Amino acid sequence: SQQGEEDPQALSIQEGENATMNCSYKTSINNLQWYRQNSGRGLVHLILIRSNEREKHSGRLRVTLDTSKKSSSLLITASRAADTASYFCATDGATGANSKLTFGKGITLSVRP
Amino acid sequence: DAGVIQSPRHEVTEMGQEVTLRCKPISGHNSLFWYRQTMMRGLELLIYFNNNVPIDDSGMPEDRFSAKMPNASFSTLKIQPSEPRDSAVYFCASSFQGISWTEAFFGQGTRLTVV
């Protein structure tokens, strides 16, 4: 399966600290995406990184992609209590136009005020 | 655009009853996904459509589940008969697939409880 797998499963940090979350996948991909889910809500797209990119920034978010290791990391700098949520990586396979978008099980991030 | 719209937001039904979940994707998107989320199994892809055609339904649990997309602006996920183990939050998402996927937009989900 090409499904992404995040680690750690849960992360608890103090407000102001940086949070690093990792995602590994198994097969070649076109791109990798990170999503956020607040409790009881749908997933919201954060950032997309293409397979030919190595790093991407968006505000306090920094995503890296290492296709040789089939892994990605999401860094949230200067975390805030409002960043408390679950974070998911999603991958789409590079095996044709009809590859599907699949998600990992997610990482629960708790930011303590 | 109002985003992906799902209905109902909450559904409580008795075991054995038929349940129909509805989704209106974002206009212009050519792909639609149905996901199920539980604490135990996380976010599972049930089925996805491309240009209204079911492409991959390998995640559909069993014959009790069926999904249709009669046109580009509407999809249904039906469970008949429903069982308590079907209790979960069901999400619909839409996206545009060209050479690769763009971001997926999720609805707010339908929380299904089967008693």
Side-chain angles (χ1 to χ4, degrees):
Chain A
S1 168
Q2 68 199 38
Q3 184 181 33
E5 296 182 3
E6 300 94 342
D7 83 272
Q9 290 188 331
L11 181 62
S12 180
I13 59 174
Q14 198 71 36
E15 198 166 31
E17 294 180 338
N18 295 340
T20 300
M21 292 167 273
N22 302 301
C23 171
S24 60
Y25 56 92
K26 296 179 180 177
T27 62
S28 297
I29 60 170
N30 285 319
N31 62 51
L32 185 143
Q33 305 180 38
W34 284 92
Y35 288 77
R36 165 192 169 127
Q37 183 181 34
N38 287 87
S39 181
R41 309 294 292 271
L43 279 71
V44 175
H45 181 264
L46 293 176
I47 196 164
L48 180 153
I49 186 165
R50 302 196 186 284
S51 60
N52 61 354
E53 297 176 311
R54 292 296 167 258
E55 187 170 314
K56 205 162 183 180
H57 296 255
S58 176
R60 293 184 296 113
L61 305 181
R62 173 176 167 252
V63 170
T64 61
L65 179 64
D66 187 337
T67 52
S68 66
K69 295 181 179 178
K70 292 186 169 59
S71 67
S72 172
S73 67
L74 171 66
L75 170 67
I76 303 175
T77 60
S79 64
R80 306 167 181 168
D83 294 327
T84 295
S86 293
Y87 292 82
F88 296 81
C89 70
T91 56
D92 69 345
T95 54
N98 290 324
S99 60
K100 56 189 177 184
L101 190 63
T102 55
F103 288 78
K105 293 189 182 302
I107 298 170
T108 300
L109 173 65
S110 298
V111 181
R112 304 185 300 274
Chain B
D1 201 311
V4 176
I5 300 173
Q6 290 186 247
S7 65
R9 290 292 310 276
H10 302 273
E11 176 81 35
V12 180
T13 190
E14 291 185 347
M15 182 174 63
Q17 295 298 306
E18 177 180 296
V19 175
T20 299
L21 311 181
R22 298 174 175 79
C23 175
K24 181 181 187 305
I26 290 175
S27 176
H29 283 179
N30 63 1
S31 296
L32 182 142
F33 307 82
W34 282 101
Y35 291 92
R36 177 172 69 176
Q37 187 176 38
T38 61
M39 289 292 291
M40 291 294 293
R41 301 175 69 92
L43 194 64
E44 302 173 278
L45 176 64
L46 300 177
I47 185 171
Y48 89 95
F49 295 84
N50 187 268
N51 293 320
N52 312 337
V53 176
I55 301 300
D56 188 332
D57 64 354
S58 59
M60 296 286 263
E62 49 200 89
D63 292 345
R64 297 184 298 105
F65 285 69
S66 62
K68 294 182 181 179
M69 191 164 187
N71 56 62
S73 59
F74 184 66
S75 177
T76 59
L77 177 68
K78 185 176 293 186
I79 308 172
Q80 166 64 14
S82 58
E83 297 181 1
R85 59 191 169 122
D86 301 330
S87 297
V89 181
Y90 291 80
F91 287 102
C92 173
S94 71
S95 180
F96 183 83
Q97 184 191 24
I99 296 173
S100 62
W101 294 98
T102 59
E103 64 180 281
F105 290 81
F106 281 73
Q108 290 300 302
T110 295
R111 183 174 295 276
L112 173 65
T113 304
V114 183
V115 298

